[in-house]
Amino acid sequence: MRRKSVIKILHGMLTAVLLLLVGGYCFYQYFFNTQPNDVFVSKQKLSNTVWLYVTKYDEGNATVADFYRFYLDKDDGSGDVMEALKHRNPFMEAKTKDVIATAYGNTVNIKVTGKIYSFTNSDLFYSDGIAIMPVINLIANGTRD
């Protein structure tokens, strides 16, 4: 009789721990993977297949610095650019929107003066069913803030 009650108590504790783990994981995924509230800033053609899109974080206030996200993608001609960018990850996040961007084929050159929060030197998107993987060269000049 004592063994059954111990097993019931252990089973209940294990169930509670597993529910907390699953609930915590779901909260983590929701909180950290929700799409940011950005507004569209600019669009620039770099080559025949590569376009540069810039968005700005729109939830800031007087104490939050401007935060810009940079995307490489095709020009799909649709009016809602933000809907298309929701499914993309930015290749760079920076404090400034002023960049000098040029491209030759699938090689993109970016020159930034300011603070960069994150950067990756490659990206991937599809244009007319063809995978396009531009390589990104970055020249960054930091500033003191």
Side-chain angles (χ1 to χ4, degrees):
M1 192 71 163
R2 195 175 223 181
R3 184 182 286 171
K4 286 185 179 181
S5 64
V6 170
I7 291 175
K8 279 186 177 181
I9 291 171
L10 289 176
H11 183 269
M13 288 173 38
L14 179 63
T15 302
V17 168
L18 289 175
L19 282 173
L20 285 173
L21 285 173
V22 169
Y25 177 76
C26 291
F27 176 75
Y28 173 81
Q29 291 297 324
Y30 173 77
F31 185 73
F32 287 105
N33 291 330
T34 56
Q35 291 296 324
N37 292 326
D38 286 2
V39 293
F40 179 72
V41 174
S42 68
K43 171 182 169 180
Q44 177 184 356
K45 182 177 182 176
L46 300 180
S47 71
N48 290 335
T49 56
V50 180
W51 289 71
L52 175 69
Y53 295 92
V54 181
T55 64
K56 178 182 177 185
Y57 179 64
D58 195 34
E59 296 266 321
N61 52 28
T63 61
V64 177
D66 291 340
F67 187 81
Y68 297 92
R69 291 181 175 88
F70 297 83
Y71 301 86
L72 294 176
D73 207 346
K74 65 181 184 297
D75 180 29
D76 59 358
S78 70
D80 192 11
V81 174
M82 292 305 298
E83 185 62 35
L85 293 179
K86 279 185 180 180
H87 306 291
R88 301 294 322 268
N89 289 324
F91 73 90
M92 183 172 69
E93 297 174 330
K95 189 175 180 177
T96 181
K97 68 176 178 175
D98 298 323
V99 300
I100 299 171
T102 59
Y104 181 75
N106 288 339
T107 302
V108 177
N109 300 306
I110 304 285
K111 184 175 182 180
V112 180
T113 300
K115 188 178 281 190
I116 297 174
Y117 299 113
S118 69
F119 172 76
T120 181
N121 66 342
S122 65
D123 202 356
L124 174 69
F125 60 90
Y126 291 90
S127 177
D128 298 326
I130 298 171
I132 297 176
M133 189 171 176
V135 177
I136 305 161
N137 299 320
L138 176 70
I139 299 171
N141 298 314
T143 61
R144 292 183 184 221
D145 291 332

